[in-house]
PDB file of all heavy atoms in Angstrom:
ATOM      1  N   ASN A  41       3.784  11.128 -34.514  1.00  0.00           N
ATOM      2  CA  ASN A  41       4.522  12.018 -33.614  1.00  0.00           C
ATOM      3  C   ASN A  41       4.165  11.751 -32.157  1.00  0.00           C
ATOM      4  O   ASN A  41       5.043  11.686 -31.283  1.00  0.00           O
ATOM      5  CB  ASN A  41       4.220  13.468 -33.978  1.00  0.00           C
ATOM      6  CG  ASN A  41       5.017  14.454 -33.128  1.00  0.00           C
ATOM      7  OD1 ASN A  41       6.224  14.315 -32.974  1.00  0.00           O
ATOM      8  ND2 ASN A  41       4.346  15.448 -32.586  1.00  0.00           N
ATOM      9  N   GLN A  93      19.637  -9.093  12.823  1.00  0.00           N
ATOM     10  CA  GLN A  93      18.394  -8.595  13.414  1.00  0.00           C
ATOM     11  C   GLN A  93      18.287  -7.082  13.265  1.00  0.00           C
ATOM     12  O   GLN A  93      17.218  -6.544  12.960  1.00  0.00           O
ATOM     13  CB  GLN A  93      18.324  -8.996  14.899  1.00  0.00           C
ATOM     14  CG  GLN A  93      17.018  -8.592  15.572  1.00  0.00           C
ATOM     15  CD  GLN A  93      15.814  -9.249  14.929  1.00  0.00           C
ATOM     16  OE1 GLN A  93      15.889 -10.361  14.429  1.00  0.00           O
ATOM     17  NE2 GLN A  93      14.685  -8.573  14.924  1.00  0.00           N
ATOM     18  N   GLY A 113      23.821 -26.398   4.821  1.00  0.00           N
ATOM     19  CA  GLY A 113      22.477 -25.983   4.421  1.00  0.00           C
ATOM     20  C   GLY A 113      21.577 -25.613   5.579  1.00  0.00           C
ATOM     21  O   GLY A 113      20.408 -25.281   5.377  1.00  0.00           O
ATOM     22  N   ARG A 145      14.908 -16.945  -7.763  1.00  0.00           N
ATOM     23  CA  ARG A 145      13.602 -16.747  -8.385  1.00  0.00           C
ATOM     24  C   ARG A 145      12.570 -16.550  -7.266  1.00  0.00           C
ATOM     25  O   ARG A 145      12.820 -16.925  -6.115  1.00  0.00           O
ATOM     26  CB  ARG A 145      13.231 -17.947  -9.238  1.00  0.00           C
ATOM     27  CG  ARG A 145      14.172 -18.172 -10.431  1.00  0.00           C
ATOM     28  CD  ARG A 145      13.543 -19.065 -11.461  1.00  0.00           C
ATOM     29  NE  ARG A 145      12.407 -18.398 -12.087  1.00  0.00           N
ATOM     30  CZ  ARG A 145      11.623 -18.964 -13.013  1.00  0.00           C
ATOM     31  NH1 ARG A 145      11.854 -20.193 -13.404  1.00  0.00           N
ATOM     32  NH2 ARG A 145      10.607 -18.303 -13.527  1.00  0.00           N
ATOM     33  N   ARG A 316     -15.854  28.689 -61.147  1.00  0.00           N
ATOM     34  CA  ARG A 316     -14.650  29.448 -60.856  1.00  0.00           C
ATOM     35  C   ARG A 316     -14.262  29.382 -59.369  1.00  0.00           C
ATOM     36  O   ARG A 316     -13.086  29.087 -59.041  1.00  0.00           O
ATOM     37  CB  ARG A 316     -14.824  30.905 -61.286  1.00  0.00           C
ATOM     38  CG  ARG A 316     -13.553  31.742 -61.077  1.00  0.00           C
ATOM     39  CD  ARG A 316     -13.823  33.205 -61.456  1.00  0.00           C
ATOM     40  NE  ARG A 316     -14.859  33.766 -60.629  1.00  0.00           N
ATOM     41  CZ  ARG A 316     -14.660  34.230 -59.386  1.00  0.00           C
ATOM     42  NH1 ARG A 316     -13.457  34.181 -58.860  1.00  0.00           N
ATOM     43  NH2 ARG A 316     -15.656  34.730 -58.691  1.00  0.00           N
ATOM     44  N   HIS A 331      -0.366  20.797 -44.981  1.00  0.00           N
ATOM     45  CA  HIS A 331      -0.613  21.718 -43.874  1.00  0.00           C
ATOM     46  C   HIS A 331      -1.794  22.609 -44.245  1.00  0.00           C
ATOM     47  O   HIS A 331      -1.779  23.274 -45.279  1.00  0.00           O
ATOM     48  CB  HIS A 331       0.611  22.585 -43.598  1.00  0.00           C
ATOM     49  CG  HIS A 331       0.413  23.512 -42.435  1.00  0.00           C
ATOM     50  ND1 HIS A 331       0.385  23.075 -41.140  1.00  0.00           N
ATOM     51  CD2 HIS A 331       0.216  24.860 -42.402  1.00  0.00           C
ATOM     52  CE1 HIS A 331       0.182  24.105 -40.337  1.00  0.00           C
ATOM     53  NE2 HIS A 331       0.075  25.184 -41.074  1.00  0.00           N
ATOM     54  N   GLU A 427      50.375 -15.782  -7.145  1.00  0.00           N
ATOM     55  CA  GLU A 427      50.198 -17.189  -7.486  1.00  0.00           C
ATOM     56  C   GLU A 427      49.731 -17.358  -8.928  1.00  0.00           C
ATOM     57  O   GLU A 427      50.070 -18.319  -9.603  1.00  0.00           O
ATOM     58  CB  GLU A 427      49.183 -17.831  -6.524  1.00  0.00           C
ATOM     59  CG  GLU A 427      49.665 -17.950  -5.084  1.00  0.00           C
ATOM     60  CD  GLU A 427      50.897 -18.832  -4.955  1.00  0.00           C
ATOM     61  OE1 GLU A 427      50.960 -19.839  -5.677  1.00  0.00           O
ATOM     62  OE2 GLU A 427      51.814 -18.498  -4.166  1.00  0.00           O
ATOM     63  N   LEU A 439      55.837  -1.891  10.944  1.00  0.00           N
ATOM     64  CA  LEU A 439      56.481  -0.835  11.730  1.00  0.00           C
ATOM     65  C   LEU A 439      55.860  -0.740  13.119  1.00  0.00           C
ATOM     66  O   LEU A 439      54.629  -0.829  13.272  1.00  0.00           O
ATOM     67  CB  LEU A 439      56.333   0.520  11.022  1.00  0.00           C
ATOM     68  CG  LEU A 439      56.775   0.593   9.549  1.00  0.00           C
ATOM     69  CD1 LEU A 439      56.487   1.953   8.991  1.00  0.00           C
ATOM     70  CD2 LEU A 439      58.250   0.274   9.421  1.00  0.00           C
ATOM     71  N   ASP A 560      55.780  -9.371  11.783  1.00  0.00           N
ATOM     72  CA  ASP A 560      55.687  -8.907  13.171  1.00  0.00           C
ATOM     73  C   ASP A 560      56.859  -9.475  13.995  1.00  0.00           C
ATOM     74  O   ASP A 560      57.482  -8.767  14.797  1.00  0.00           O
ATOM     75  CB  ASP A 560      54.344  -9.362  13.750  1.00  0.00           C
ATOM     76  CG  ASP A 560      54.093  -8.735  15.115  1.00  0.00           C
ATOM     77  OD1 ASP A 560      54.777  -7.749  15.461  1.00  0.00           O
ATOM     78  OD2 ASP A 560      53.226  -9.236  15.840  1.00  0.00           O
TER      79      ASP A 560
END
Side-chain angles (χ1 to χ4, degrees):
N41 183 49
Q93 184 61 32
R145 296 198 67 182
R316 183 183 61 81
H331 182 72
E427 292 298 322
L439 308 177
D560 189 16

